């Protein structure tokens, strides 16, 4: 027992005494939650998953920086041009106008944070240390907006000595005005000349610290109160000669949002230039190429999982960051639910892991559907060895893993080549984006589809220039491939390109024939019958006799078709594909594409699904008295119409609660217990109203109106 503190007080009360000794909580890392079972290799799977997770994070950031480099560099150059003292040379603007950049980011709001973070870092490193970023939720009034700007600026610019920091703290508490900011800016630029010169050694556009602009970034421009924006712009426009303000508006919709939120009297004070970021669909295509269609990235997604992730992207938020989070969640689910995911790693590491597979994991391999299909194709003696000898299974597993990695190395370049050839065809028979072609390839035999046949027919009528251009793109793709077989394919493509370029005067005979036919049709009258007859005769002559270009074009298309049939086979036909491919699309949809109302209704209708209590198991259409009061009231309200009589509802509730009790209805104990049930019923109805299932109505005072229909 701890020591009891004695107190003296003239009144009764509750006193709180904090413990003198504070025990620090022991921090448990993520790896501490992984059970290190030698049979399941939990720690190894976690290590591999963490390594792949870091790879995804790094590649995503690199892609984001590469795609945003152009627009960010343009913004940095824009800010550089409008430092104090040089804006009049660049823009012929009035003294009260504030340079403003309207950055069009698109509706993918979750991706904006990373873009603004990169922009702030770039501006602080290469342009000016005075960069402020504000959110609408933090700036409900002009005073709060000015206070936020001053706090961020003084926190960044004042770090020279303690005396200056004390003055800044006092200034932040007492004088949160733009005039105080002007005085601080003058003081800082005078006292920090040496510090600023060290930070701007690499800057060529600025000779003195006074030329550094003050950048204010409005991250979510549409969410700001229009009156707050108007007042802030009007105030800042009065100090443009003392403070070189530069505004950056983050806009998700269109440039017209500025006109809608700001009147002409305010927008005329801004000198606006519009900057457009890359489309989110192009960003997704880059992420798809670098992560999912990368043969060096061992983790793969099945066709249905890709369709779920892409569907959420296209129909919900257009957020690439959420798409990457879905990929990471799929990775976690795969490594958590699949013990054989210990083999989902780089080739050499996977081969080493295959040599040390436990007996339980060997048995799991035997039960894989793809491995069972592989066993069925082997000779009877080999089948016996695979079903009885664990060591033989390990050897075969190493061989199959090599084949699986080789399949991915050959699959990705051929897929990109086929997409480059077919992406420009009319009506896009194989899809406009490579992800559509990838989904078609991994879920079925592509060459058995009507879309593939129509694509080949269109390729067979390509002109010489179009065909040569497409083959050159394929050659560029294959040059970066590391597989030996792809180098042989590259040599054959280059041979076809050389033979096509060597052809001259290919269509001279055809053009002469066309000229004769057109001349005949020009100088003599004809009807539809004779025109059709003439065209059929021309087509029959061409079918009988093919020129050299048509023969060579036919050979090229047959070569492309043979590559597709050899290398673009469905992934599920590859043995051990379950090791690398995550296919639980239902789990992913349930976790990412949630529907709150459906989840609430499922919980109220089937509480056992969430509580896992055996007493809550009931047959369909029955109501258990052991269920929570809210569940009972919800199920009873499903049996009612538009208006629910509260007394009848209470009677039904009491009947369900008393179904398993044997008490005298006239006894005092039963009467008291009914009062308790009445209170529980009132609480349950209040919760139903809070969840939005019922509401009070003025039509009848003792009734409530039902708001939802079609419950579970």
């Amino acid at each position: 027992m701890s020591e009891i503190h004695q107190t003296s007080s003239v009144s009764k009360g509750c006193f709180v005494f904090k413990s003198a000794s504070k025990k620090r909580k022991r921090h448990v890392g993520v790896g501490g939650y992984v059970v290190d079972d030698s049979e399941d290799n939990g720690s190894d799977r976690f290590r591999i998953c963490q390594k792949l997770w870091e790879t995804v994070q790094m590649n995503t950031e690199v892609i984001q920086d590469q795609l945003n480099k152009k627009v960010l560099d343009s913004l940095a150059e824009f800010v550089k041009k409008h430092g104090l003292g040089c804006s009049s040379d660049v823009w012929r603007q009035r003294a009260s106008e504030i340079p403003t950049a309207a950055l069009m980011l698109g509706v993918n709001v979750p991706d904006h944070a990373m873009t603004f973070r990169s922009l702030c870092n770039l501006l602080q490193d290469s342009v000016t240390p005075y960069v402020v970023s504000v959110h609408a939720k933090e700036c409900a009034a002009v005073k709060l907006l000015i206070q936020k700007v001053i706090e961020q600026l003084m926190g960044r610019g004042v770090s020279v000595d303690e005396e200056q920091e004390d003055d800044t703290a006092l200034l932040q508490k007492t004088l949160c005005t733009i005039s105080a900011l002007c005085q601080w800016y003058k003081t800082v630029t005078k006292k920090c000349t040496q510090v600023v010169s060290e930070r701007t050694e690499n800057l060529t556009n600025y000779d003195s610290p006074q030329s550094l602009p003050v950048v204010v970034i409005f991250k979510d421009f549409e969410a700001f109160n229009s009156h707050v924006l108007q007042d802030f712009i009007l105030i800042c426009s009065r100090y443009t000669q003392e403070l070189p303000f530069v505004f950056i508006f983050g806009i998700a919709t269109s440039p017209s949002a500025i006109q809608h939120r700001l009147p002409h009297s305010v927008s005329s004070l801004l000198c606006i230039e519009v900057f457009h970021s890359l489309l989110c669909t192009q960003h997704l295509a880059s992420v798809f190429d670098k992560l999912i269609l990368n043969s060096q990235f061992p983790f793969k997604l099945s066709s249905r999982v890709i369709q779920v992730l892409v569907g959420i992207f296209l129909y919900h938020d257009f957020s690439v960051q959420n798409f990457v989070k879905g990929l990471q969640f799929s990775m976690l689910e795969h490594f958590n639910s699949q013990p054989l995911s210990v083999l989902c790693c780089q080739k050499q590491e996977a081969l080493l892991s295959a040599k040390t597979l436990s007996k339980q994991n060997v048995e799991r391999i035997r039960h894989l559907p793809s491995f069972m299909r592989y066993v069925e194709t082997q000779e009877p003696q080999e089948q016996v060895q695979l079903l009885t000898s664990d060591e033989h299974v390990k050897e075969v597993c190493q061989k199959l893993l090599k084949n699986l990695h080789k399949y991915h190395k050959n699959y990705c370049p051929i897929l990109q080549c086929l997409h480059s050839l077919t992406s420009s065809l009319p009506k896009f028979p194989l899809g406009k984006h490579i992800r559509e072609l990838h989904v078609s390839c991994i879920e079925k035999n592509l060459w058995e589809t009507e879309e593939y046949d129509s694509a080949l027919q269109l390729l067979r009528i390509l002109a010489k220039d179009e065909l040569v251009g497409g083959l050159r793109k394929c050659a560029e793709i294959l040059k970066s491939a590391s597989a030996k077989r792809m180098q042989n394919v590259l040599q054959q493509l280059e041979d076809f390109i050389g033979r096509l370029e060597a052809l001259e005067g290919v269509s001279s005979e055809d053009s002469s024939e066309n000229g004769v036919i057109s001349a005949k049709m020009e100088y003599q009258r004809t009807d539809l019958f004779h025109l059709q007859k003439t065209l059929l005769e021309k087509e029959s002559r061409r079918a009988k006799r093919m020129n050299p270009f048509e023969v060579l074009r036919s050979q090229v298309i047959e070569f492309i078709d043979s590559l597709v049939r050899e290398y673009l086979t469905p992934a599920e036909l590859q043995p051990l594909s379950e090791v690398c491919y995550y296919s639980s699309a239902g789990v992913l949809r349930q976790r990412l594409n949630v529907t709150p109302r459906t989840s609430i209704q499922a919980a109220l209708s089937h509480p056992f699904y969430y509580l896992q209590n055996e007493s809550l198991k009931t047959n369909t259409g029955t109501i258990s008295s052991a269920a929570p009061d809210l569940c009972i009231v919800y199920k009873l309200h499903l049996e009612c119409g538009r208006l629910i009589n509260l007394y009848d509802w209470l009677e039904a509730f009491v009947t369900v609660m008393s179904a398993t009790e044997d008490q005298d209805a006239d006894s005092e104990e039963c009467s008291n217990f009914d009062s308790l049930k009445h209170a529980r019923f009132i609480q349950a109805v209040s919760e139903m109203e809070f969840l939005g299932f019922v509401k009070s109505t003025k039509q009848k005072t003792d009734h409530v109106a039902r708001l939802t229909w079609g419950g579970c």
Side-chain angles (χ1 to χ4, degrees):
M1 295 288 293
S2 61
E3 183 181 357
I4 301 176
H5 297 268
Q6 300 294 331
T7 61
S8 59
S9 176
V10 296
S11 62
K12 295 182 180 181
C14 181
F15 302 92
V16 178
F17 300 95
K18 295 183 178 180
S19 177
S21 60
K22 295 182 179 180
K23 295 183 179 180
R24 296 183 62 184
K25 293 183 178 181
R26 184 180 177 184
H27 177 70
V28 181
V30 181
Y33 296 98
V34 179
V35 180
D36 189 9
D37 190 352
S38 59
E39 296 292 333
D40 291 340
N41 304 102
S43 59
D44 292 337
R45 284 152 50 199
F46 171 73
R47 175 181 53 80
I48 296 171
C49 181
Q50 191 175 30
K51 186 176 179 181
L52 293 178
W53 183 290
E54 294 172 356
T55 302
V56 171
Q57 290 283 78
M58 182 181 64
N59 289 341
T60 304
E61 293 176 0
V62 170
I63 293 170
Q64 179 86 7
D65 294 339
Q66 290 176 351
L67 297 179
N68 290 333
K69 186 177 186 304
K70 184 176 180 181
V71 65
L72 294 183
D73 290 345
S74 301
L75 284 169
E77 190 65 27
F78 172 82
V79 175
K80 284 181 183 179
K81 290 179 181 179
H82 298 91
L84 190 63
C86 62
S87 61
S88 59
D89 298 334
V90 180
W91 281 18
R92 297 177 180 178
Q93 59 184 32
R94 297 195 305 269
S96 60
E97 286 184 343
I98 302 175
T100 304
L103 179 58
M104 312 307 300
L105 294 171
V107 296
N108 50 330
V109 177
D111 298 343
H112 295 179
M114 183 177 291
T115 303
F116 284 120
R117 185 165 59 249
S118 302
L119 176 61
C120 290
N121 294 335
L122 177 63
L123 293 178
Q124 290 169 10
D125 294 340
S126 61
V127 182
T128 173
Y130 310 122
V131 180
V132 180
S133 59
V134 291
H135 280 284
K137 63 181 180 181
E138 302 171 345
C139 309
V142 181
K143 182 179 179 181
L144 296 176
L145 177 56
I146 296 176
Q147 181 180 356
K148 195 70 178 176
V149 171
I150 292 176
E151 286 178 357
Q152 292 191 34
L153 282 176
M154 293 184 175
R156 294 187 183 282
V158 183
S159 59
V160 181
D161 53 19
E162 296 180 357
E163 182 180 358
Q164 192 173 352
E165 289 179 359
D166 296 338
D167 296 342
T168 303
L170 181 62
L171 181 63
Q172 288 178 352
K173 293 179 180 178
T174 57
L175 300 175
C176 288
T177 61
I178 300 296
S179 59
L181 181 62
C182 292
Q183 295 297 326
W184 170 85
Y185 183 77
K186 293 178 181 178
T187 304
V188 169
T189 52
K190 290 179 181 179
K191 291 186 178 182
C192 303
T193 302
Q194 183 178 359
V195 176
V196 174
S197 61
E198 292 177 357
R199 297 186 62 177
T200 57
E201 286 180 354
N202 298 327
L203 301 180
T204 58
N205 294 341
Y206 306 107
D207 298 328
S208 66
Q210 284 189 345
S211 62
L212 295 176
V214 177
V215 182
V216 182
I217 302 175
F218 299 85
K219 292 186 175 180
D220 44 356
F221 176 78
E222 290 96 337
F224 276 87
N225 189 321
S226 59
H227 297 290
V228 173
L229 286 173
Q230 295 172 26
D231 295 342
F232 183 75
I233 293 172
L234 289 172
I235 294 172
C236 292
S237 64
R238 303 296 180 91
Y239 296 89
T240 53
Q241 294 299 321
E242 302 176 22
L243 274 174
F245 278 115
V246 176
F247 291 165
I248 298 178
F249 293 160
I251 301 176
T253 53
S254 65
S256 61
I258 299 177
Q259 300 175 356
H260 294 159
R261 304 198 62 79
L262 301 177
H264 181 266
S265 59
V266 178
S267 61
S268 61
L269 300 175
L270 304 176
C271 213
I272 303 174
E273 184 174 345
V274 180
F275 297 85
H276 292 274
S277 64
L278 196 67
L279 294 177
C280 55
T281 52
Q282 297 176 351
H283 190 180
L284 177 65
S286 300
V287 171
F288 209 87
D289 291 339
K290 294 295 178 64
L291 294 178
I292 297 179
L293 296 181
N294 186 0
S295 60
Q296 301 300 323
F297 190 68
F299 177 73
K300 304 295 180 182
L301 300 176
S302 68
S303 59
R304 292 186 179 180
V305 172
I306 293 175
Q307 289 173 349
V308 170
L309 292 178
V310 174
I312 294 174
F313 173 84
L314 293 177
Y315 300 111
H316 287 79
D317 51 14
F318 286 102
S319 172
V320 178
Q321 291 299 315
N322 288 347
F323 179 86
V324 173
K325 289 179 182 178
L327 174 63
Q328 292 175 330
F329 178 80
S330 303
M331 194 186 309
L332 286 175
E333 278 289 318
H334 179 67
F335 281 92
N336 180 54
S337 60
Q338 176 59 271
L340 295 176
S341 59
V342 70
L343 302 175
C344 181
C345 51
Q346 299 299 329
K347 180 179 177 181
Q348 298 301 326
E349 187 178 358
L351 295 178
L352 292 176
S353 299
K355 292 181 181 179
T356 59
L357 284 174
S358 63
K359 185 175 182 180
Q360 187 175 0
N361 281 337
V362 170
E363 195 62 30
R364 289 191 179 106
I365 288 178
R366 290 194 178 105
H367 286 82
L368 291 178
S370 62
F371 189 80
M372 295 172 65
R373 289 194 297 268
Y374 171 78
V375 173
E376 292 174 356
T377 59
Q378 303 301 310
E379 298 293 333
Q381 295 180 354
E382 180 68 14
Q383 292 181 1
V384 173
Q385 288 289 326
L386 291 173
L387 297 176
T388 57
S389 175
D390 292 350
E391 294 299 325
H392 187 66
V393 170
K394 294 178 183 180
E395 294 176 0
V396 173
C397 182
Q398 297 176 46
K399 177 180 131 182
L400 295 178
L401 286 174
K402 289 181 182 179
N403 294 338
L404 186 60
H405 283 270
K406 188 183 298 183
Y407 163 78
H408 289 142
K409 280 187 176 181
N410 296 331
Y411 175 87
C412 295
I414 299 300
L415 181 73
Q416 294 173 356
C417 291
L418 181 61
H419 174 69
S420 66
L421 287 172
T422 60
S423 59
S424 59
L425 295 178
K427 297 184 179 181
F428 310 105
L430 294 181
K432 186 176 181 180
H433 304 283
I434 194 172
R435 61 175 180 265
E436 302 171 6
L437 179 59
H438 174 61
V439 168
S440 300
C441 289
I442 62 177
E443 69 178 354
K444 56 189 173 183
N445 292 329
L446 181 66
W447 54 89
E448 296 178 354
T449 60
E450 296 180 359
E451 294 80 6
Y452 180 75
D453 293 337
S454 62
L456 287 186
Q457 291 178 2
L458 292 173
L459 289 175
R460 289 191 177 97
I461 60 174
L462 284 179
K464 176 184 172 182
D465 296 339
E466 295 175 341
L467 183 60
V468 172
L471 294 180
R472 282 179 178 170
K473 290 181 182 179
C474 296
E476 291 296 327
I477 294 172
L478 294 176
K479 285 180 181 178
S480 59
S482 59
K484 295 181 180 179
R485 183 69 182 90
M486 293 298 101
Q487 298 304 317
N488 297 333
V489 174
L490 175 60
Q491 292 179 1
Q492 292 178 309
L493 277 181
E494 290 177 346
D495 179 59
F496 279 123
I497 294 173
R499 291 167 61 186
L500 285 170
E501 291 177 343
L503 292 176
E504 295 181 359
V506 172
S507 58
S508 59
E509 184 178 355
D510 291 341
S511 60
S512 61
E513 291 181 0
N514 292 338
V516 172
I517 294 175
S518 61
K520 290 181 179 179
M521 290 188 294
E522 181 179 357
Y523 291 108
Q524 63 182 11
R525 291 186 177 182
T526 182
D527 54 8
L528 182 60
F529 174 76
H530 288 90
L531 177 62
Q532 184 179 8
K533 182 179 179 181
T534 305
L535 294 176
L536 289 175
E537 290 177 356
K538 176 188 173 184
E539 190 66 25
S540 63
R541 285 198 301 269
R542 292 191 61 182
K544 294 177 182 177
R545 183 178 52 172
M546 296 176 64
N547 58 39
F549 167 68
E550 292 175 340
V551 174
L552 187 56
R553 181 176 59 187
S554 178
Q555 294 177 1
V556 171
I557 302 305
E558 290 177 359
F559 176 69
I560 299 291
D561 183 43
S562 64
L563 294 178
V564 171
R565 294 174 183 269
E566 183 177 359
Y567 296 111
L568 298 186
T569 55
E572 63 179 9
L573 299 181
Q574 304 299 319
L576 301 185
S577 61
E578 294 88 349
V579 170
C580 299
Y581 282 83
Y582 176 72
S583 58
S584 300
V587 175
L588 188 66
R589 186 183 294 107
Q590 184 180 8
R591 297 291 187 270
L592 298 183
N593 194 13
V594 295
T595 52
R597 176 184 169 184
T598 303
S599 301
I600 292 174
Q601 289 178 336
L604 296 178
S605 300
H606 310 286
F608 173 77
Y609 180 76
Y610 290 95
L611 301 179
Q612 295 296 315
N613 189 345
E614 294 295 331
S615 61
L616 299 178
K617 280 188 175 181
T618 58
N619 298 326
T620 304
T622 60
I623 304 176
S624 172
S625 60
D629 297 342
L630 181 60
C631 298
I632 297 175
V633 170
Y634 173 78
K635 286 189 174 182
L636 291 173
H637 111 286
L638 294 178
E639 302 174 358
C640 302
R642 187 176 63 86
L643 295 178
I644 304 175
N645 189 314
L646 286 174
Y647 183 77
D648 295 340
W649 201 3
L650 172 62
E651 287 291 325
F653 176 76
V654 173
T655 302
V656 173
M657 295 296 296
S658 305
T660 57
E661 300 174 2
D662 295 331
Q663 293 183 350
D664 187 3
D666 298 331
S667 65
E668 183 179 357
E669 182 180 358
C670 183
S671 177
N672 294 335
F673 197 65
D674 285 345
S675 300
L676 178 60
K677 293 175 183 176
H678 190 189
R680 291 168 61 181
F681 172 77
I682 294 174
Q683 182 180 4
V685 172
S686 300
E687 293 174 353
M688 287 279 292
E689 186 175 3
F690 175 76
L691 292 174
F693 290 105
V694 296
K695 72 171 184 178
S696 58
T697 177
K698 295 182 180 180
Q699 296 181 6
K700 293 183 179 180
T701 56
D702 58 343
H703 284 65
V704 293
R706 181 178 173 182
L707 299 178
T708 61
W709 305 89
C712 298

